[in-house]
Amino acid sequence: MASHRKSRTPGTRVAGIRTPALATAALTSVALLSQTAEAAPGEDRPSLEEVEKKVGDLYRQAESATEKYNAAKEKTGKQRKRVDTLLDDVAKRTQKLNEARSELGSYAAAQYRTGAGMPDTATFLLAETPQDIFDQRQVLDRMTGRQKAAVDDYVTQQTETMKKRQEATESLRTLTETQGDLKTAKATVQKKLADARELLSKLTAEEKARLAAIEKRKQEEAARKAVELARQQAEQEQAREEAAQQGGGASEGSGSTGSTETPPADSSYGTKAEKAMAFARAQIGKPYVWGATGPGSYDCSGLTQAAWKAAGVSLPRTTYDQVNAGTTVPVSQAQPGDLVFFYDDVTHVGIYIGNGMMIHAPKPGTYVREESIYYDGDSAIHSIVRPA
């Protein structure tokens, strides 16, 4: 991952980095620690650092479970539609089967009245399966061409109807299993969040203040890294422009570690990216809610999906699928509109807006906000993907 975490140069402005954002982050941490509870005398208490790490882990685990919930929910919706379609098809085929049976019945009645072939026809009509019917093909030798056509139609309808019924049964079974996965993922999310709240509720007022201070320092360091990346990106852009003017495009990528330069996104991408970012900015301040896709609240992948949808680009629902929905580029070559993915299990995503900053829906108890892509450290960044 080191190869794509090269920094870029910012311009003259510390773009997107606002002092109120740091204050908001600190206040958010304090808000999350709203309940106080003193430890019982002699009770073994984890250190503040251990609590911070455990809470962070629980939130990430909850986000992982949220993405599994999103995937199961999407799968359930597709399977439900398939089951409904199959059941409708079975109903139509059953109607055709009944019509074919009725036509055969009229022939059987006519044979009965004339005394011809009644036993064989009756046996045919009483057959339970298509195989039974095929075992009695000798009946066809006694029938007219029109009667044979009616029998063939009956056999076809019965075979296809049985096949569709089996498909519907299997789809219903799969749907039931997926609904079980959905319930499990939902319960996991709720349990992780409850555990995190319980840990936070046991902190003293002093510990809460210290934790808020730790969070503030992390935000300041993340902002510093964003400035560094923005500066490097600006220098690389200037080098590209100078190289283009001199006709020496091969000199692009100064300041890089030697990795191949990804070609700049074309103007159509820039237009779409602007629309996606404009949508994301309009959602700032709305709460994070796991499993939400808007318009009043979002989870991380719900926000990125909705933002790019506003730009006319369809993204999959989950982070696991969104990470494969475009071209991967190095961090140093990230452009506004790109998707920034986090953690080894790819359970978080934000929209890059330039200068080392992104807009994302962070976690439960927070709101959609603008923040450094280094908010959880360099190693948290998994990849950058250009979706359109």
Side-chain angles (χ1 to χ4, degrees):
M1 194 169 302
S3 63
H4 67 239
R5 259 190 213 105
K6 307 171 287 192
S7 301
R8 276 195 202 193
T9 47
T12 56
R13 111 185 224 270
V14 182
I17 301 176
R18 311 177 210 153
T19 300
L22 299 179
T24 300
L27 290 173
T28 298
S29 297
V30 175
L32 287 172
L33 309 175
S34 58
Q35 301 179 17
T36 61
E38 299 294 337
E43 179 184 344
D44 290 336
R45 290 174 57 82
S47 68
L48 188 60
E49 290 73 17
E50 290 173 335
V51 171
E52 181 193 27
K53 182 179 184 306
K54 180 63 176 177
V55 169
D57 289 345
L58 286 169
Y59 277 132
R60 282 191 288 276
Q61 291 166 15
E63 195 158 36
S64 176
T66 296
E67 291 305 312
K68 291 178 181 178
Y69 170 87
N70 292 338
K73 185 176 181 181
E74 184 178 45
K75 186 177 179 181
T76 296
K78 292 179 179 178
Q79 288 174 336
R80 196 184 305 279
K81 290 180 180 178
R82 173 168 171 75
V83 168
D84 289 344
T85 299
L86 284 171
L87 291 177
D88 287 344
D89 192 26
V90 167
K92 293 176 182 177
R93 291 182 183 279
T94 299
Q95 177 62 31
K96 292 181 179 179
L97 181 62
N98 291 336
E99 292 171 356
R101 183 183 290 114
S102 176
E103 186 173 5
L104 280 179
S106 66
Y107 289 136
Q111 289 177 334
Y112 177 76
R113 286 193 297 271
T114 61
M118 192 284 176
D120 288 332
T121 303
T123 300
F124 177 82
L125 290 175
L126 291 174
E128 294 291 334
T129 67
Q131 185 60 49
D132 293 337
I133 296 173
F134 287 120
D135 291 341
Q136 300 166 20
R137 296 292 293 184
Q138 66 272 18
V139 175
L140 301 181
D141 296 336
R142 300 185 179 90
M143 295 184 175
T144 65
R146 184 176 178 184
Q147 289 173 320
K148 185 177 183 300
V151 171
D152 288 342
D153 183 56
Y154 178 83
V155 171
T156 299
Q157 294 298 336
Q158 186 180 53
T159 301
E160 292 180 353
T161 300
M162 290 178 65
K163 180 180 178 181
K164 290 299 180 182
R165 282 174 178 166
Q166 290 172 350
E167 288 182 20
T169 299
E170 177 62 22
S171 293
L172 282 170
R173 183 189 65 77
T174 304
L175 176 59
T176 301
E177 291 178 354
T178 305
Q179 287 174 328
D181 293 341
L182 192 64
K183 291 177 64 177
T184 299
K186 182 176 182 179
T188 300
V189 172
Q190 293 173 332
K191 177 66 166 58
K192 298 298 182 184
L193 295 180
D195 289 346
R197 285 192 292 268
E198 182 180 2
L199 277 173
L200 294 173
S201 71
K202 293 180 179 179
L203 295 177
T204 65
E206 180 185 357
E207 288 171 330
K208 294 174 185 178
R210 287 172 53 201
L211 190 58
I214 291 174
E215 178 67 17
K216 183 179 179 181
R217 286 196 297 273
K218 287 176 62 178
Q219 291 290 331
E220 289 171 344
E221 175 61 15
R224 185 192 67 77
K225 287 181 176 294
V227 170
E228 182 181 339
L229 174 60
R231 183 178 297 112
Q232 185 180 3
Q233 288 178 330
E235 289 177 353
Q236 289 178 348
E237 179 62 26
Q238 182 178 1
R240 279 193 294 267
E241 292 176 356
E242 291 176 354
Q245 291 174 356
Q246 297 171 6
S251 64
E252 290 184 356
S254 63
S256 70
T257 58
S259 61
T260 302
E261 182 86 4
T262 301
D266 58 28
S267 59
S268 64
Y269 177 80
T271 300
K272 293 175 182 177
E274 284 295 335
K275 292 180 180 178
M277 290 187 294
F279 179 93
R281 286 193 179 95
Q283 313 314 308
I284 290 177
K286 293 183 179 180
Y288 175 105
V289 174
W290 65 271
T293 57
S297 58
Y298 297 89
D299 64 14
C300 66
S301 56
L303 176 63
T304 52
Q305 183 188 47
W308 271 101
K309 182 179 180 180
V313 176
S314 178
L315 291 181
R317 174 64 183 92
T318 68
T319 54
Y320 310 131
D321 293 324
Q322 288 183 10
V323 74
N324 297 315
T327 303
T328 301
V329 299
V331 173
S332 63
Q333 296 173 29
Q335 295 188 13
D338 291 350
L339 301 178
V340 189
F341 293 92
F342 296 87
Y343 311 118
D344 291 340
D345 53 356
V346 197
T347 53
H348 189 67
V349 63
I351 300 176
Y352 190 67
I353 58 174
N355 297 301
M357 303 296 289
M358 68 176 174
I359 295 173
H360 68 148
K363 60 186 178 182
T366 63
Y367 300 84
V368 175
R369 68 193 184 202
E370 185 177 316
E371 192 164 30
S372 166
I373 65 172
Y374 299 105
Y375 80 107
D376 204 18
D378 298 57
S379 62
I381 299 176
H382 176 274
S383 56
I384 308 290
V385 171
R386 192 157 296 154

